[in-house]
Every structure is written in C-alpha cells, then in structure tokens.
Amino acid sequence: MPEALTKEIIEKAKKNLSCPSQLFIDGKYSNSITEKTFDNISPIDGKLINKVTFSQPEDVNKAVAVARKTFESGVWSRSAPAHRKKVILKFAELLKKNGLELAVLDTLDVGKTINDTYTADVPGSIKNVRWYGEIIDKVYDDIAPTPYNSLALITKEPIGVVVAIVPWNYPLMMAAWKVGPALVTGNSLILKPAEQSPLTAIRMAELLAEAGLPEGVFNVLPGDGPITGKALALHNDVDCVAFTGSGEVGKKILGYSGQSNMKRVQLECGGKSPNVIFADCENLDTIVKVSAKAIFGNQGEVCTAASRLIVQDSIKEEFVEKVVKESKKMMPGDPWDPSSFMGAIVDKTQLDKIHGYVEQGKNEGAKVATGGNIMLKNTGGYYYEPTVFDNVKNNMKIAQEEIFGPVLSSITFKSAEEALKIANDTSYGLAAAVWTRDINKAHLMAKRIKAGSIFVNNYDEADLTVPAGGFKQSGIGRDNSYHALDTYLQLKSTWIKLADK
Ligand code: ADP
C-alpha cells in the first residue's frame, strides 16, 4: 500500500480496477445455477457498476453442502493451529498488498470516502485478521478440578458450518471481523455480503485461496436478504449465523434459527447511543469536535454512532451552537477526494429513509438547528447534509429509532439521575459516553448505563483487543478480542475414568 494517497494514485487505481461479480463456491467463481443477477449501483453517481450474481436457494444448498463436506473432511477443521495461523497471516499480508484496490472497491460500492476506506477500513481489517492469526496457537484448553480418579477435559472445537451475514457500512471490515475468528478456529464459512456492497467480499475469496486456504472452506454468496440471507439462516445444515445489521432482521434470524435446527446465532444490531455531556466536563471545544465526528463520521452510518446528544441544560445552548458550527466543516463531498469528510449515503432507499426521519422530527416538534437537506443532486448520487435537531424529547421517533445517517438529536437534562433515565430509555444498548470531571459521577454512570461499551471522556477509543457488542436489543455475543472466539467454538467435556490400581 502506498504511504499517502494522492489524486494521481487514486485515478490510476480506478483505471486499473476490475470489479468482481460472481459467487464463489468450492474454490471457484461461477454464476448462479439460475443465472440470476442484480444491478450493483454506485451511490457516488447513481450509475451501474456491474451486474452481480444473485445467489438463489439452489446456490445456498450447494454452498452449504460443500462447506459441510470440507468441514467433515478435516482438511482445515482438524489441521494444526500453527498451519491455520500461517494461512491467515498470509491472508493478512495479501490484504495489505492489495489494500489500495480493496479501498477503491469499497468506496465505489458504498460511497464512503477513499480516505476512510484507505486509512481506516483496510488497515483495521488487516490488523484484525492478523490478530486472530496470531492468537490461535496460544489458546489452551482446560482440565477441570474433578476428583482424583477422574479426568475431565474441557476442549474447544470449531462449531462447523458458519454463515456470516454482514452489512454495507464497513463492507471489508465487517466481513473481516467475522472471517478472521471464524476461519482461524477451523470452521467452514459462507459469507453473504449486503446487496449494496458485494465487491470486496467476492475479492476476498481469491485472496484467501492465494493464501493457501483449502477449497470449500470459504465461500461467498452475493445476494439479497429475503432470498439469499433467509435461505442461509433457515438452512438445517448450518451450525451458526454471525450477523451484523438491523434489529428487525436480527429478530428474523433468531426466528429462522428456531424454525430450523436451533443453530447458534450471534447478533450485532445497532444502537441509539447516548452521548451524555455534564456541565462540569473539561474542554468543551474538544468534546464538540469528538461528538460531531461520532455522529457525522462515515455519514452517520455507524452502529455505535453518538446519535443522542444528552446535554446538561446550563451548557446546552453553547454546546449545540458549537456542534452546528463544527458540522459545517463536515459537509459531504466527492468520495474520491482524499480531503472530503463525508461521502455518499449508500443508496436511494437509505437517503429517503434519512430524509423521512428528518421530516418526522419536524412534525413531532423538534427544531432543526442546521441541515435537513439532500445535497449534491447534480452528481446523480445520494448525499445528505449533516443535521442537528434541538429541543428533542426522548420519546420522539428521531430519538428512539436508528436513523443510520448524519442526524443528531439533542436532548437536555438537569440532574445526573435524569441523564441516566434518558440514556437508558431506549430498546438499544450498544454504546454510550459520559463526559465529566467528577470521577465519582463518571464511574456511577458507567456502571448504571445499560450498554456494551461505555466511553468516559472520549467517544473514539477502539481496539480489536476489546470486545464490541450490545446489551438489550443491540445484540447477542461479541465481536473482536478473544471473546469473539466463543461464537465460533463449542465446548466439549470429556470424562475419563482413571482406575488407580
Ligand atoms: P441495513 O438496514 O443496515 O441495510 P439489514 O439488517 O437490512 O441492515 O441488512 C444487513 C444484512 O442482512 C445484509 O447482508 C442483508 O442482505 C441481510 N438481510 C436482510 N434481510 C434478511 C433476511 N430476511 N434474512 C437474512 N438476511 C437478511
């Protein structure tokens, strides 16, 4: 990967780009058995990128059968951890070697800026994959403290055939978060990218093959949710579905599991995260910058987006005024320009959904402090202005539902008790932040907010060594860290009777 991006480097990479389009089963690219395809549109300009294979239930059956056969063969599932480590580390190397191409593919596919894909998503994905490669020959099993004449071995086995269903907001990275831990633990995997973002997932298959992964261990089925995703999640020979996406679909996946073989389900289903600012916080200007980035970064298409600004009444006016000012520096621009902060919204449906919420917010009586407009229409693409709502009540739709766009709802409170009540008054529980100089208050809030990740005096700390996932309807299970391995491994207890003669 070149050190820094220039317009020339980007243009050259775009010119040399070839966009992958087919499904990948048993080490080979092919069309759907039914020859069906779907149009893959770039939100940058609304133009067709390519026609992509639309995997149908027939393809799902084929992929699952291949994944099962490969798993049972032991070619990967029973290979030495040191071997799996070698292959996964080689894969990380290949991600790096092809980093610019992968960044360009993701930008083209979903409209996020090349700066984001190149400097954050690709390096983040490489780091993640490498970390799981490195951990696998350091995971030990246990022996339980049973009576002297018995031995109970507690061992971890791969769960079997895993399906990863991923969203479009970080196409490469969300896939990498599942691919690393699922493969390194010895499973066979079928990856279903979102219909908006199939390109890097399809390309990944080639890189894994080049890294030496045996045929049939990794398969990719591009397609939609209701046909491809549903057939996968309902399949009786799939052992686990690892899903990141909306709560609505997460609930469906749980239902599919219950209707079929009770497969294990791991879910990360978004949030409506509170960002609580106390009047005794330190350095308001920095907090404003971090808070604005935490909602407008990645066009607000982030599951942990700080979408509810919960600010103490005595500093509310000043804070909102400063956030509005900051938002002006975060206008959407050409995603190919390395200096753009925001890029395009993923598709027309999502753009309309965001605008619909903004209209709804106005109808419910919230005040638009800034924004509220569709932008850059002349590009043919889908862009939205950073938007701040003031005077929001926490029971309004814009404060309760995940918008997944650059829309901030500002709510005020008087006491810590009230802030806590508002923060927890949500069906979600993914992330939350508290800003205060009072260590006592910070700890108590952190203990009592029901969320998987709490940020104290920050909103941007993240590391793959730390688990990510939600309380309440934000999900089940965790990505990242060694805790993510729990999704892809199952425990076996083996009792051995010892005859002490
Ligand atoms: P978003 O609202 O962010 O687009 P979704 O939850 O709709 O999130 O989509 C996330 C992933 O879930 C995508 O890969 C999508 O194709 C898939 N998906 C959508 N509906 C279903 C479904 N009924 N069954 C299985 N997967 C689905």
Side-chain angles (χ1 to χ4, degrees):
M1 287 172 78
E3 291 261 304
L5 280 177
T6 61
K7 285 195 177 163
E8 293 70 44
I9 290 175
I10 297 163
E11 279 316 309
K12 193 165 155 219
K14 279 165 71 182
K15 230 194 222 152
N16 295 335
L17 196 67
S18 103
C19 292
S21 64
Q22 290 180 304
L23 62 73
F24 189 86
I25 298 177
D26 210 6
K28 287 174 278 300
Y29 283 117
S30 74
N31 293 336
S32 161
I33 294 168
T34 63
E35 296 288 330
K36 283 202 171 135
T37 60
F38 65 90
D39 288 349
N40 186 26
I41 307 287
S42 175
I44 296 176
D45 53 12
K47 290 195 180 133
L48 181 75
I49 302 171
N50 60 355
K51 286 196 173 287
V52 172
T53 297
F54 189 166
S55 309
Q56 298 296 306
E58 294 88 329
D59 305 304
V60 166
N61 289 338
K62 188 174 161 193
V64 174
V66 162
R68 170 62 58 198
K69 192 165 155 240
T70 317
F71 181 76
E72 300 304 337
S73 79
V75 60
W76 180 250
S77 55
R78 295 196 290 276
S79 67
H83 172 69
R84 283 182 254 140
K85 168 184 178 169
K86 203 171 125 205
V87 172
I88 297 300
L89 290 182
K90 176 77 186 163
F91 173 51
E93 221 177 85
L94 291 171
L95 287 174
K96 186 162 184 201
K97 187 172 156 206
N98 297 281
L100 179 59
E101 178 200 347
L102 293 164
V104 169
L105 286 173
D106 265 359
T107 291
L108 180 68
D109 225 2
V110 296
K112 58 195 291 178
T113 68
I114 189 72
N115 189 50
D116 279 356
T117 55
Y118 190 74
T119 65
D121 297 13
V122 171
S125 305
I126 296 167
K127 250 172 109 175
N128 195 292
V129 166
R130 193 179 286 143
W131 196 83
Y132 285 103
E134 281 165 356
I135 199 177
I136 200 60
D137 61 351
K138 295 159 196 77
V139 178
Y140 288 72
D141 292 324
D142 297 319
I143 298 177
T146 52
Y148 187 74
N149 61 348
S150 67
L151 197 60
L153 311 179
I154 306 169
T155 52
K156 302 179 193 85
E157 295 186 355
I159 190 161
V161 174
V162 174
V163 164
I165 299 179
V166 293
W168 44 259
N169 58 337
Y170 292 86
L172 182 72
M173 197 150 82
M174 289 298 103
W177 279 21
K178 314 273 189 210
V179 169
L183 285 183
V184 87
T185 41
N187 297 287
S188 289
L189 179 63
I190 301 167
L191 172 64
K192 197 210 80 68
E195 48 274 46
Q196 297 88 343
S197 57
L199 298 180
T200 44
I202 303 176
R203 180 73 174 101
M204 218 182 233
E206 221 171 346
L207 299 180
L208 275 161
E210 195 182 334
L213 192 73
E215 287 175 3
V217 178
F218 182 71
N219 309 277
V220 181
L221 293 183
D224 74 350
I227 294 174
T228 320
K230 182 176 174 183
L232 281 164
L234 263 175
H235 204 291
N236 273 312
D237 209 19
V238 168
D239 300 299
C240 168
V241 175
F243 168 84
T244 301
S246 62
E248 194 189 330
V249 176
K251 286 183 182 180
K252 284 188 188 168
I253 305 259
L254 280 174
Y256 300 150
S257 170
Q259 288 161 45
S260 54
N261 60 342
M262 225 194 266
K263 57 181 67 66
R264 183 182 291 172
V265 172
Q266 182 245 340
L267 303 172
E268 199 271 78
C269 294
K272 194 75 196 176
S273 300
N275 183 22
V276 181
I277 326 278
F278 284 96
D280 64 1
C281 62
E282 195 164 17
N283 201 345
L284 209 62
D285 288 337
T286 305
I287 303 172
V288 166
K289 279 194 174 56
V290 174
S291 301
K293 208 166 157 215
I295 179 64
F296 301 130
N298 208 56
Q299 303 73 242
E301 297 164 332
V302 185
C303 46
T304 52
S307 51
R308 287 187 298 148
L309 175 69
I310 302 177
V311 56
Q312 198 150 19
D313 54 359
S314 58
I315 57 164
K316 193 269 287 189
E317 230 152 86
E318 185 187 359
F319 201 94
V320 170
E321 209 172 281
K322 283 179 189 273
V323 170
V324 166
K325 215 164 143 200
E326 193 63 25
S327 76
K328 307 282 182 206
K329 301 178 199 157
M330 297 180 166
M331 290 295 166
D334 178 6
W336 296 119
D337 181 342
S339 67
S340 293
F341 180 82
M342 272 211 271
I345 300 297
V346 72
D347 60 15
K348 173 86 168 54
T349 310
Q350 185 63 16
L351 184 79
D352 291 344
K353 184 177 153 195
I354 294 167
H355 196 55
Y357 272 114
V358 169
E359 291 303 316
Q360 171 104 28
K362 288 187 207 163
N363 292 340
E364 281 182 302
K367 179 183 148 209
V368 179
T370 189
N373 299 300
I374 293 172
M375 295 189 77
L376 305 175
K377 283 188 193 158
N378 58 331
T379 59
Y382 317 117
Y383 299 83
Y384 208 79
E385 194 178 6
T387 301
V388 179
F389 271 111
D390 199 0
N391 300 342
V392 176
K393 298 272 171 283
N394 199 52
N395 61 2
M396 292 178 182
K397 264 203 165 150
I398 52 167
Q400 286 293 322
E401 296 185 11
E402 189 182 42
I403 299 174
F404 226 60
V407 181
L408 179 64
S409 294
S410 161
I411 303 160
T412 46
F413 69 90
K414 284 192 167 62
S415 65
E417 206 49 46
E418 193 189 358
L420 183 66
K421 196 162 160 253
I422 297 169
N424 280 334
D425 178 17
T426 167
S427 59
Y428 291 107
L430 193 60
V434 180
W435 300 84
T436 173
R437 253 182 293 200
D438 179 341
I439 190 162
N440 195 49
K441 194 157 60 186
H443 273 296
L444 287 175
M445 290 291 287
K447 276 174 188 267
R448 290 182 63 196
I449 294 179
K450 294 186 170 79
S453 297
I454 311 278
F455 303 106
V456 176
N457 293 335
N458 74 86
Y459 206 104
D460 42 8
E461 293 297 324
D463 197 79
L464 63 90
T465 58
V466 181
F471 282 24
K472 293 155 67 178
Q473 292 187 36
S474 286
I476 300 171
R478 294 292 179 269
D479 287 305
N480 293 341
S481 80
Y482 66 85
H483 292 283
L485 299 177
D486 293 347
T487 295
Y488 307 104
L489 290 168
Q490 53 189 348
L491 288 182
K492 179 177 275 179
S493 303
T494 305
W495 284 91
I496 299 171
K497 185 80 184 164
L498 302 176
D500 194 3
K501 288 187 179 148

